[in-house]
Amino acid sequence: MGHNVVLGAKKIGVARLINLGSSCMYPRGREHALHEDDLLSGKLEPTNEGYALAKILVAKLCDFVSAMQDGFQYRTIIPCNLYGRHDSFDPARSHMVPSIIRKLHQAKIQGHDSVEIWGDGQARREFMYAGDLADCIWRAVARFDTLPQMMNVGIGRDYTVDEYYTAAARIIGYQGRFLHNLNRPIGMRRKLLDIARSESWGWRPRTSLDAGLAASYDFYLRNGIQEGRP
């Protein structure tokens, strides 16, 4: 899809394009914050290798168009994991943060005294409120000439899975215990983006974890998702 969009845009003469990548593009097993130069420097996470390869292909295609076609500037923004309003809370396909919100809310209203967490809870993840990415994209549109060819966009720090559960429980008002299921997979131990380039460009996210979780939970409640509706 991305390949078709980029080549289609080039064919009809779109001179400027902002492509959205993914932190899944980076190699697995890195303990340091992932810099843009780490791209294609190691093996990918097997569980999302196909998605990662597709995103890498499109990002490199944007590089080639920019380098080989005069007057064309195709740039790539690489966001970390996202959450927020309008997210999917469907337990069959939701990502970690909306899954936590739904699980803790259900535990609260059903009176459960404990909630299961997969793994030991110490894997680290970086999640950014989706509204902050939207803000970054609008800034990129307005200041396109200053935008780097490839740029990470994240919050610059990560939290353990346990810390996400604790923060969400505080927002939701759940006071039960967390039980760790060590027989369940945990995925990568850490995935954090180096945001030095975006900071030098003059942008940082503004939404705290508590504020983002509160906005997400409010959306969940207002839209009746907890009652099984879409």
Side-chain angles (χ1 to χ4, degrees):
M1 182 174 65
H3 179 270
N4 289 338
V5 168
V6 170
L7 292 186
K10 178 178 176 293
K11 183 177 181 179
I12 65 173
V14 175
R16 294 180 172 185
L17 182 143
I18 297 175
N19 169 52
L20 289 183
S22 166
S23 59
C24 294
M25 295 161 60
Y26 287 112
R28 64 177 304 190
R30 303 294 172 88
E31 288 298 319
H32 65 269
L34 296 161
H35 189 271
E36 292 85 354
D37 292 339
D38 287 322
L39 194 66
L40 293 175
S41 65
K43 292 184 178 181
L44 300 169
E45 168 61 31
T47 56
N48 54 31
E49 185 178 31
Y51 178 73
L53 288 171
K55 287 292 188 180
I56 291 169
L57 184 150
V58 178
K60 297 306 291 184
L61 182 59
C62 288
D63 290 350
F64 294 147
V65 170
S66 298
M68 300 174 66
Q69 191 77 35
D70 289 342
F72 282 71
Q73 297 176 312
Y74 285 17
R75 310 281 170 78
T76 296
I77 289 175
I78 304 176
C80 66
N81 296 313
L82 302 174
Y83 73 97
R85 299 172 66 247
H86 303 284
D87 210 335
S88 171
F89 294 86
D90 182 346
R93 57 190 179 93
S94 60
H95 293 153
M96 192 181 87
V97 172
S99 175
I100 290 173
I101 289 173
R102 182 186 181 102
K103 184 188 295 187
L104 293 180
H105 175 80
Q106 293 294 328
K108 175 185 174 182
I109 63 175
Q110 294 172 12
H112 295 165
D113 60 3
S114 66
V115 166
E116 180 183 276
I117 297 177
W118 284 16
D120 61 7
Q122 295 308 298
R124 306 189 70 86
R125 295 290 183 268
E126 179 185 19
F127 278 89
M128 181 171 64
Y129 186 63
D132 285 335
L133 176 61
D135 175 69
C136 180
I137 293 171
W138 278 117
R139 188 180 194 274
V141 170
R143 305 184 185 184
F144 189 91
D145 288 335
T146 67
L147 186 65
Q149 181 62 38
M150 188 175 294
M151 184 179 77
N152 289 336
V153 175
I155 66 173
R157 66 158 298 177
D158 52 9
Y159 298 89
T160 67
V161 172
D162 277 354
E163 287 174 324
Y164 281 109
Y165 270 90
T166 299
R170 182 169 60 248
I171 298 298
I172 293 168
Y174 176 70
Q175 299 180 340
R177 299 175 297 131
F178 300 140
L179 302 178
H180 295 95
N181 186 340
L182 301 181
N183 295 318
R184 292 290 190 172
I186 62 171
M188 295 174 63
R189 294 299 302 184
R190 191 182 197 201
K191 187 171 65 174
L192 172 67
L193 294 183
D194 183 320
I195 62 168
R197 189 172 291 181
S198 60
E199 287 184 322
S200 296
W201 183 61
W203 186 87
R204 279 193 64 91
R206 296 180 292 183
T207 307
S208 69
L209 178 59
D210 277 15
L213 289 173
S216 301
Y217 185 49
D218 178 70
F219 175 84
Y220 176 83
L221 294 176
R222 287 178 181 273
N223 287 274
I225 298 172
Q226 73 279 9
E227 297 173 6
R229 296 197 292 271

